[in-house]
Amino acid sequence: LTDLVDPDGAVSTAFQWQEEIAGTWIDPEGATAATLAIPDDQSFVGRNVRVVATTTDPFGGTTEFTGQAQTIANVEDEAIGTLAVSGTAAEGGSLTAALNDVVDADGAVTIAYQWQEDIGGTWTNIEGANTATLVIPDNQSFVGKQVRAVATTTDPFGGTTQFTGQARTIANVNDAPVAVNDQASVREDRTVIGNVLNGTPGADNDADSDTL
């Protein structure tokens, strides 16, 4: 309370903080200092508070000053939790991410998942891989790649926390070679010389590029 003047003489000043409850200003117990200490949890977030200063002059006369109401804002609290990944990091397998034991002081959260791959040292979102489970193709397209899961929580105030899983390298699974029966015609009493692997171009192959 500044620039205070009372013609009746020097005054004493008492403070009382108030909160608005259903349209009525209520005196919280113990909030009688010049400073209101706001708890570092959610208990005051969204409340309207104001201060009332009351002066008393030497004759017992009082004057009341009411401060402007202020709304207590939220401060973003980071969520905590554990991001676990299970499954088989191999060709034709799958990996499933699960964010466990999530706690956010700002309230209940939603969880979104995104799988990423390491491309030239940069983690890049895999198109369409935005569910908890990554289905790994049963061909060579993912073999040797590093992948990881990213889980993002969003609280009721729009605050987000990101959890990043450990990178996993996709292993190869040995694929059986493919071969077809080759046929040749030969006249009686003649010799046929050839390579059965090259009989029909492209018919004999190994997905793992192993030597046939």
Side-chain angles (χ1 to χ4, degrees):
L1 190 58
T2 59
D3 302 324
L4 180 61
V5 177
D6 191 318
D8 293 324
V11 299
S12 61
T13 304
F15 295 95
Q16 175 63 61
W17 288 89
Q18 298 181 326
E19 63 173 308
E20 184 183 16
I21 299 178
T24 301
W25 288 99
I26 305 296
D27 296 342
E29 185 177 353
T32 55
T35 298
L36 176 66
I38 302 169
D40 61 355
D41 55 25
Q42 300 302 109
S43 59
F44 267 55
V45 172
R47 293 188 183 186
N48 288 330
V49 298
R50 72 181 184 183
V51 65
V52 176
T54 302
T55 62
T56 303
D57 64 37
F59 300 99
T62 60
T63 305
E64 193 173 272
F65 300 84
T66 302
Q68 185 176 2
Q70 299 191 56
T71 302
I72 306 302
N74 181 65
V75 174
E76 168 63 11
D77 296 288
E78 292 289 306
I80 58 174
T82 303
L83 180 57
V85 175
S86 60
T88 303
E91 170 190 348
S94 65
L95 295 171
T96 299
L99 188 58
N100 301 316
D101 304 322
V102 183
V103 176
D104 191 318
D106 294 325
V109 299
T110 59
I111 304 172
Y113 294 96
Q114 176 63 59
W115 288 89
Q116 298 179 329
E117 61 177 307
D118 184 6
I119 300 177
T122 300
W123 286 101
T124 304
N125 292 345
I126 301 173
E127 185 176 356
N130 52 9
T131 63
T133 298
L134 174 68
V135 178
I136 303 167
D138 60 356
N139 54 37
Q140 300 301 110
S141 61
F142 266 56
V143 172
K145 288 187 177 184
Q146 283 197 315
V147 300
R148 70 180 186 183
V150 176
T152 302
T153 62
T154 303
D155 64 41
F157 297 95
T160 60
T161 303
Q162 193 172 89
F163 300 82
T164 302
Q166 186 175 5
R168 306 281 289 272
T169 301
I170 306 303
N172 180 65
V173 173
N174 187 43
D175 298 287
V178 176
V180 299
N181 292 327
D182 296 310
Q183 296 180 345
S185 59
V186 60
R187 296 176 63 183
E188 184 180 359
D189 297 330
R190 297 295 178 91
T191 300
V192 175
I193 299 175
N195 186 338
V196 295
L197 296 180
N198 298 322
T200 303
D204 303 327
N205 63 80
D206 189 291
D208 300 315
S209 299
D210 293 335
T211 301
L212 297 176

